[in-house]
Amino acid sequence: MAVIRPFSCIRPTMENAAVVASRPYDVFSEEEARQAVGRNPHSILTITRPETQFPAGTDPAAPEVYAAAGERLEAWIRQGILEDDREPSYYIYEVSVGAHQQTGLVGCASVDDYWNHQVKAHEAVRTKKLEDRTRHIEACAAQTGPVFLASHSSPEITNTLAHAKLRAPLYSFTSEEGVGHRVWKLSDPAIVASLERKIASLGPVYIADGHHRAFAAARVCEKMRKANPDYTGEEPFNYFLCAVFPEDELQILAYNRVLSDLNGLGTGEFLARVEESFDVRPVGTTAFYPKFKGIFGMYLDG
């Protein structure tokens, strides 16, 4: 079983939520991140991508760059852009894209569960990116983005969250990309305790996105445990921020690759080489979406 527990957090004030919110730090190139921060200096990107606070060409791994992330976080708390919410709570997070909607629970997963494979990973990590997020957590003394987890579905949990969503949300806005975001706070001790027990009965959870964030949190935890040999396991560094969504509400999107050339082959030659390993069939001019494992769609010369 996996532990997902309530937590105390630093979060945007209601009036600042839509301004602070951003897509994940790693979907932006450096130029795109700089442009986004130029349009909105209160985007969380100024913290998650602190190199945007420095001139172009600055080494993003320089110590002063990471230090700037922590300084900006503290400044936003002093300025009232973020507030320190000490009440241990879960948060319900609803995301809407077009007709699709999914509702998850935000809490903190156990680093021990990560090591014991109750939080299951399926991707290798890159050393440079892992080091970046490790140093970022250390500089901020905080985790600034959740790990996206998938769980088995539970009608009981779904019903509990649906009932809680009947109240007015804490946050409600639509991003410039057209994605709807709504958040509710769950702090009633009886509901929180009930949810914690129900989540533990679901079995393992699976990392859908955020392998580097999870591993980085685990590395920081190891360092903190060595520095604090009398740790109890209850300290915040033993956990990492996560958002857990049930499998029956998830939508798996296409993952496309683009080839810039055919390695010197003509179209006919290329298809002939592909046919050495695959059964190739024309499907017309409309986009093709595979429905079964082992089938791929390919677009070539129209």
Side-chain angles (χ1 to χ4, degrees):
M1 63 179 68
V3 173
I4 309 293
R5 73 177 204 174
F7 67 114
S8 304
C9 72
I10 295 167
R11 57 180 177 82
T13 58
M14 291 178 65
E15 60 271 20
N16 285 307
V19 178
V20 170
S22 168
R23 289 180 291 151
Y25 78 99
D26 54 354
V27 303
F28 295 86
S29 67
E30 182 173 336
E31 182 180 353
E32 289 169 338
R34 289 183 180 279
Q35 291 173 354
V37 168
R39 295 191 301 270
N40 175 16
H42 285 148
S43 168
I44 191 71
L45 271 179
T46 62
I47 293 173
T48 58
R49 294 289 295 271
E51 69 270 25
T52 58
Q53 300 180 47
F54 293 82
T58 300
D59 180 4
E64 61 270 21
V65 174
Y66 289 107
E71 292 165 2
R72 177 63 64 95
L73 181 61
E74 292 296 330
W76 281 11
I77 296 171
R78 291 194 304 271
Q79 295 164 12
I81 298 170
L82 305 176
E83 60 183 345
D84 193 348
D85 191 335
R86 298 279 179 170
E87 188 176 29
S89 306
Y90 285 119
Y91 292 84
I92 302 172
Y93 180 29
E94 177 196 277
V95 186
S96 304
V97 183
H100 178 74
Q101 183 183 96
Q102 60 192 53
T103 301
L105 193 68
V106 179
C108 283
S110 164
V111 167
D112 286 328
D113 282 345
Y114 175 81
W115 290 127
N116 295 332
H117 307 296
Q118 290 302 299
V119 176
K120 293 183 179 292
H122 67 271
E123 290 180 3
V125 296
R126 292 179 296 182
T127 302
K128 185 177 180 180
K129 194 172 178 182
L130 174 61
E131 180 66 20
D132 167 64
R133 285 304 97 180
T134 301
R135 293 178 65 187
H136 190 271
I137 293 172
E138 291 174 327
C140 293
Q143 298 163 20
T144 57
V147 176
F148 176 6
L149 299 178
S151 72
H152 294 292
S153 301
S154 163
E156 286 186 318
I157 294 176
T158 298
N159 290 337
T160 299
L161 301 190
H163 181 74
K165 285 168 61 178
L166 296 175
R167 298 181 286 109
L170 182 67
Y171 307 132
S172 180
F173 62 91
T174 300
S175 71
E176 61 183 20
E177 296 85 20
V179 179
H181 303 269
R182 294 204 296 170
V183 174
W184 293 260
K185 180 180 174 180
L186 275 179
S187 55
D188 181 279
I191 296 176
V192 165
S194 175
L195 274 173
E196 198 165 3
R197 289 193 300 270
K198 290 172 182 175
I199 292 167
S201 69
L202 291 178
V205 293
Y206 303 81
I207 299 178
D209 187 56
H211 285 80
H212 291 88
R213 277 162 278 180
F215 199 170
R219 287 184 70 191
V220 172
C221 176
E222 283 189 322
K223 292 182 179 182
M224 294 295 289
R225 286 179 174 182
K226 288 179 181 178
N228 299 274
D230 295 327
Y231 73 91
T232 65
E234 292 300 308
E235 298 86 356
F237 60 72
N238 294 286
Y239 295 84
F240 60 88
L241 183 63
C242 66
V244 190
F245 290 86
E247 59 180 330
D248 58 352
E249 293 188 25
L250 295 182
Q251 185 179 43
I252 300 177
L253 302 176
Y255 206 122
N256 299 315
R257 300 293 193 185
V258 177
L259 301 182
S260 58
D261 63 68
L262 300 181
N263 198 27
L265 300 175
T267 299
E269 293 174 294
F270 177 77
L271 286 174
R273 292 288 292 274
V274 172
E275 285 182 318
E276 294 175 9
S277 301
F278 295 90
D279 175 19
V280 179
R281 304 178 188 177
V283 292
T285 57
T286 57
F288 173 76
Y289 297 96
K291 293 183 172 62
F292 304 100
K293 184 178 180 179
I295 297 177
F296 301 83
M298 181 172 68
Y299 181 82
L300 177 67
D301 287 352

